[in-house]
Amino acid sequence: MLDKKVVELLNNQVNKEFYSAYLYLELSNFYEDKGLAGFANWYRVQAQEERAHAMLFYQYLHNNNEKVKLETIEKPDVELHTLLDPLHTGLKHEYYVTGLIHTLYDAAHSVKDFRTTQFLDWFVKEQGEEETKAHDLITRMELFGSDPKSLYMLDTELKARVYVEPSLVL
């Protein structure tokens, strides 16, 4: 049986991951409107990853005989004007999610819920990777984004990204 506070935080995380998917679809929409299909694809793949993360938390709760409480997912409230705005929004959001995961990990660890901390180990590592990818994309955009030919090449590269199902065993 999981600690009540840990269950609350796990449920919260399910909903935050679904919100993340919404946010990334909003960022994808921005790039679609700008004619940058590669950047749009990159964020669509991000959205798929976030939905998968939500389902991992969902399944973990069910595997531990806990009720999943789905909440209303709010519309992302972001202002996007420049081609860099979505990238900075994405990185800022990844930092936010990392904080949520750390809070959840700390709560599980404080009640010696080692099963949940082991489950969360994958997410801690994943967040580090997500922050690095988001930061690297900003760096590349700052370096190459003002040159149309380089922007085209970067967009073409991002168009090739495909979704890969996470291999976390519950």
Side-chain angles (χ1 to χ4, degrees):
M1 178 178 255
L2 298 178
D3 177 80
K4 183 179 176 181
K5 177 68 175 173
V6 171
V7 170
E8 180 185 318
L9 290 169
L10 286 164
N11 266 299
N12 182 57
Q13 197 63 36
V14 170
N15 292 285
K16 295 297 185 182
E17 297 291 341
F18 280 127
Y19 172 81
S20 296
Y22 269 40
L23 175 64
Y24 289 140
L25 287 175
E26 185 70 18
L27 302 183
S28 179
N29 283 338
F30 175 83
Y31 285 120
E32 284 287 354
D33 290 344
K34 299 296 183 189
L36 292 169
F39 282 85
N41 176 65
W42 200 86
Y43 278 110
R44 274 194 309 278
V45 170
Q46 284 297 107
Q48 288 176 290
E49 287 184 3
E50 301 306 335
R51 285 191 303 267
H53 296 168
M55 294 308 296
L56 289 169
F57 283 101
Y58 173 94
Q59 191 61 54
Y60 183 78
L61 283 162
H62 279 290
N63 288 354
N64 286 279
N65 299 311
E66 295 293 345
K67 184 173 175 64
V68 175
K69 297 177 184 171
L70 298 174
E71 303 292 337
T72 301
I73 307 300
E74 293 187 31
K75 178 185 183 301
D77 183 24
V78 294
E79 288 193 31
L80 307 171
H81 304 286
T82 72
L83 295 180
L84 274 167
D85 287 346
L87 304 179
H88 285 289
T89 298
L91 178 59
K92 181 179 175 186
H93 186 72
E94 290 300 338
Y95 289 148
Y96 170 71
V97 172
T98 296
L100 293 172
I101 297 294
H102 288 178
T103 298
L104 184 46
Y105 194 100
D106 184 55
H109 188 266
S110 71
V111 294
K112 298 184 182 195
D113 180 353
F114 302 116
R115 182 178 356 164
T116 300
T117 57
Q118 184 179 26
F119 168 71
L120 292 170
D121 282 342
W122 183 87
F123 290 95
V124 170
K125 181 179 180 234
E126 174 72 6
Q127 281 310 118
E129 292 170 4
E130 292 297 332
E131 289 177 13
T132 297
K133 286 190 301 188
H135 185 270
D136 289 350
L137 192 52
I138 290 170
T139 299
R140 293 172 75 202
M141 184 63 154
E142 289 174 343
L143 286 171
F144 309 120
S146 61
D147 174 55
K149 290 177 187 173
S150 297
L151 179 60
Y152 174 79
M153 290 177 66
L154 183 55
D155 189 59
T156 300
E157 177 187 326
L158 296 177
K159 197 180 296 184
R161 183 178 187 213
V162 295
Y163 172 68
V164 176
E165 190 77 29
S167 60
L168 176 64
V169 178
L170 300 177

